[in-house]
Structures are given as C-alpha cells and as structure tokens.
Amino acid sequence: MALQPFGYPFEILSPLSPDEAKARIRRRAKGWFEQKNGARGWILGSLVCLWWTGITRGPMLIGWISSDPSGARITGRAGSDLNGVIGVTLIGVAFLFVPLVALLTGRDATEALRSIPFMAAIFIPLWLLGVWLRNAMHVEADPLVRFVRNATAPSRRTPSATAPLRTLTLIVNETTRTGVISAAELQEALSETGPNDILILEAAPEDYIQTRWTDGGFTLERRDGGADRHFRAETEGGQTVLEFEDILGAFTAWAEGTRLPAVLKWKALRLPD
C-alpha cells in the first residue's frame, strides 16, 4: 500500500453548475450527529469536507468545487483521517519550533543547531508511523467519493417503458420500506451503502437480491425460492467484487422484472441448512 497520508486523489465531472452541485450534496448529506451511517459534513464556499459516521470521523474527503465547461469539476483527496494526520503534523512542527526559536533569537545557537537533527531524528519516524496508521483507511473512503459522484453526476439510467410496477420491500440494515421502489430510490440507497452495510430488495422471504459493500466494491447475491437456489454474481473473469454501476443495473433490472445484465455470471452457492 502506497503511503498517501493525505488520501488518494479523485476527480468528478458533473453536468450541474457549481452552485447546483453544492445544493445536491447538502440536500443528500445526513446531519452531523445522525446515528445512521452515511456522508455528512460541511461546505464552505467552494470547499467541501465529508466523513461517514456521526461517532468518529475516521476517513474523510476534502474537495474543491470549481466551474468547468461541462458544468462543475470536483477535485480533492479521500481516504485519510485528516484530523489525525494534521494533528500529528502540527505536533511535529511544534516539536521542531523550540530549537528554531532559540536559533533565531541567538540564545544558545550552538546547542540549538545540535538539537535540530536530534529532534528531526525522533520526529520523522514518529510522523511516518502516525500517518501510516492513518493511511490504512483509503478503501473505507470509497463510499464518500461514490456519494459525491452520485449526488452531483447521477446515473442516466431510466426505467424500462414496459417494466411492470410491483410491490417490493427495500431493506437497508434495519430500515424497511415496502411499495413500488423507483430506480432513483435504488440509486440513492446504493450510493449510501458503506462499510458493514447490507441492502436487500425483496419480493418474498425467499425471493430477493442483496448486496454488501466490501473492500473496493460490492458483492451481489440473489435467491430464487430457497437455499438451494441461492447465487452469487461474478464477472466473466471470476471477480466477485463488482462496480457500483453493475450493482445498480442488476437491482434496477430485478426490480423491474426484466433480464439481469448479461455481463454478470451467477454461480450457485452451497449454504448451510
């Protein structure tokens, strides 16, 4: 894993204006202290800062929203616990500040010069250790980037004109809604799926499709009537970790009762009785 103490870079192009993009993010974001997981944070001018939970901020996203010929451009970095990294950095600066002040004021300059390498030899390894520990959160910030992308550059996927409307149950962790579930609702629910979250779309107790967000992507399963008819989706290359658009396409097709995307292959799973 590369050392990126301030997270990995991202760029999102949106057809919206910068003001519309900001409004979408604000409207979709959760309150700072809301118990349910999901993107929350603040926007100050063109600067946006988001995190995922209301308890500990953990990995964060910091971005800059600017104008672009096509609408808005959002660039920044995600995946660092910036609170921790900045804190460790400030402590290190203060640590080295004392001998520098002594040097600049001419008080015991020789001792100050001697102490700087000693201070640096202590601080630099500690700083590297601190930012490396904070660096392990990169993948956990993927849902934040996905949230911004889907809020400001939503998918153009539209329901099939001939798709029948049917009553389904959408389960997101412990939250349940029963009714006609629209493609827009599915996209919003999936865009808010993060670590330890599971999303299920159910027609009956033994007839459903479900996904869970895992490191770097989603896993997808479906059940067609019982434990002996339970399948996991994978790509033609055998990959079981899928992209957001793959999951959205599968959920939308399943909700409409139309054919599931051909790019997905379904492998039967043996589940314990």
Side-chain angles (χ1 to χ4, degrees):
M1 177 173 54
L3 180 60
Q4 294 178 303
F6 297 101
Y8 62 86
F10 70 88
E11 180 179 78
I12 297 169
L13 296 177
S14 170
L16 307 175
S17 71
D19 288 341
E20 290 173 325
K22 295 175 195 176
R24 285 280 190 94
I25 294 172
R26 288 191 180 102
R27 187 163 57 248
R28 294 275 298 275
K30 297 186 182 300
W32 278 31
F33 303 108
E34 188 169 336
Q35 291 185 347
K36 295 180 181 178
N37 288 343
R40 71 214 50 216
W42 48 263
I43 297 177
L44 181 61
S46 296
L47 184 66
V48 56
C49 178
L50 301 174
W51 54 93
W52 192 254
T53 69
I55 302 174
T56 57
R57 291 189 178 179
M60 301 173 70
L61 175 150
I62 288 186
W64 185 263
I65 303 175
S66 59
S67 296
D68 184 84
S70 62
R73 182 186 299 269
I74 305 154
T75 57
R77 303 190 76 88
S80 171
D81 181 357
L82 291 173
N83 291 322
V85 171
I86 292 172
V88 170
T89 302
L90 291 177
I91 290 172
V93 171
F95 193 58
L96 297 175
F97 186 69
V98 174
L100 287 174
V101 170
L103 177 62
L104 292 173
T105 56
R107 292 181 294 177
D108 201 6
T110 301
E111 289 300 320
L113 285 171
R114 290 176 179 174
S115 66
I116 289 176
F118 175 74
M119 294 285 194
I122 295 175
F123 164 67
I124 291 175
L126 291 176
W127 184 84
L128 289 172
L129 176 61
V131 299
W132 180 266
L133 293 175
R134 301 291 182 178
N135 190 58
M137 297 181 172
H138 283 188
V139 174
E140 294 181 21
D142 289 352
L144 290 171
V145 177
R146 189 173 68 240
F147 167 82
V148 174
R149 179 175 291 109
N150 287 306
T152 61
S155 171
R156 296 182 179 180
R157 184 182 302 277
T158 56
S160 170
T162 59
L165 299 178
R166 57 176 180 157
T167 299
L168 299 169
T169 299
L170 179 64
I171 305 168
V172 184
N173 296 325
E174 298 178 357
T175 302
T176 300
R177 189 183 92 73
T178 299
V180 176
I181 309 298
S182 69
E185 286 179 277
L186 287 175
Q187 178 171 335
E188 182 172 355
L190 286 167
S191 69
E192 295 180 357
T193 301
N196 303 317
D197 291 339
I198 185 168
L199 188 149
I200 304 171
L201 190 60
E202 183 181 87
E206 296 291 337
D207 184 11
Y208 59 82
I209 189 170
Q210 66 181 21
T211 188
R212 183 189 298 273
W213 187 85
T214 185
D215 290 351
F218 293 84
T219 58
L220 178 66
E221 297 178 10
R222 83 172 202 261
R223 181 171 292 199
D224 296 341
D228 60 335
R229 295 284 299 164
H230 195 100
F231 305 90
R232 174 180 292 167
E234 58 184 44
T235 65
E236 292 185 357
Q239 295 293 323
T240 58
V241 178
L242 307 176
E243 300 289 337
F244 176 85
E245 286 296 330
D246 295 328
I247 302 298
L248 179 59
F251 265 77
T252 302
W254 195 91
E256 296 173 350
T258 56
R259 184 178 180 181
L260 295 174
V263 295
L264 298 178
K265 310 303 176 185
W266 295 91
K267 183 177 180 180
L269 293 181
R270 289 183 176 272
L271 300 178
D273 295 331

